[in-house]
Amino acid sequence: MEQLVIPKHHGEKLTDIPDEQLREILPVAKKLVLATGAEDYNILQNNGRIAHQVVDHVHFHMIPKPNTTEGLSMTWPMQPTDMDKLKSYFEEIKAKM
């Protein structure tokens, strides 16, 4: 069964949550995984309507994947990677961080 981790600080998107509160999220998600005994699972967090966000408050889903038919199913249109473009994009983003 899906579980949620919800920050106490209200924010619509991930970038609205202070870093110090985000530090608590993954340890709590890890505790949920251990407490539920999930062996295969997804941690999911959506930002914006076209990214499938329905609730306007940041939350993280821990979705157990007990077999091939239950849990999260998704497709991701894989494309060949242009390594030169990828390296250039990496440098661009790194400079902004």
Side-chain angles (χ1 to χ4, degrees), residues 60-78:
F60 297 77
H61 303 257
M62 191 289 285
I63 308 166
K65 185 70 174 163
N67 55 54
T68 59
T69 59
E70 296 179 82
L72 182 65
S73 294
M74 58 190 224
T75 60
W76 193 320
M78 298 295 288

Side-chain angles (χ1 to χ4, degrees), residues 29-66:
K30 179 180 175 180
K31 288 176 185 178
L32 272 175
V33 169
L34 294 170
T36 62
E39 291 186 29
D40 298 298
Y41 55 90
N42 296 91
I43 303 293
L44 176 69
Q45 197 277 316
N46 301 325
N47 293 275
R49 292 289 183 258
I50 65 171
H52 308 287
Q53 183 179 13
V54 177
V55 177
D56 293 329
H57 185 95
V58 170
H59 57 285
F60 297 77
H61 303 257
M62 191 289 285
I63 308 166
K65 185 70 174 163

Side-chain angles (χ1 to χ4, degrees), residues 15 19 87-97:
T15 53
D19 289 350
K87 288 175 186 175
S88 175
Y89 187 59
F90 169 72
E91 292 301 327
E92 178 185 332
I93 297 300
K94 186 170 80 169
K96 292 178 182 179
M97 293 176 71

